[in-house]
Amino acid sequence: MQTGGPARTIVRCYCEELGVDYVETGLITSYRQALTSLHRAGTPLRHPLAPA
């Protein structure tokens, strides 16, 4: 059984137009990917450069 229906097709095409990778994954993996990305983005805030 395939899930996603027409939304999957629309999102896949939109990602292609933007040049963004489209990946399908499970719930736990998607949370891990999102949290890893947020963790990396926040690194400069947690470890600011020392003043000169």
Side-chain angles (χ1 to χ4, degrees), residues 29-46:
T29 302
S30 67
Y31 280 149
R32 182 183 54 79
Q33 290 172 343
L35 292 174
T36 298
S37 178
L38 290 171
H39 183 73
R40 287 182 186 149
T43 296
L45 300 173
R46 290 188 308 277

Side-chain angles (χ1 to χ4, degrees), residues 4-18 22 24:
R8 171 187 286 155
T9 303
I10 292 168
V11 172
R12 185 179 291 159
C13 290
Y14 186 65
C15 288
E16 186 176 323
E17 287 176 19
L18 294 176
Y22 175 85
E24 293 186 20

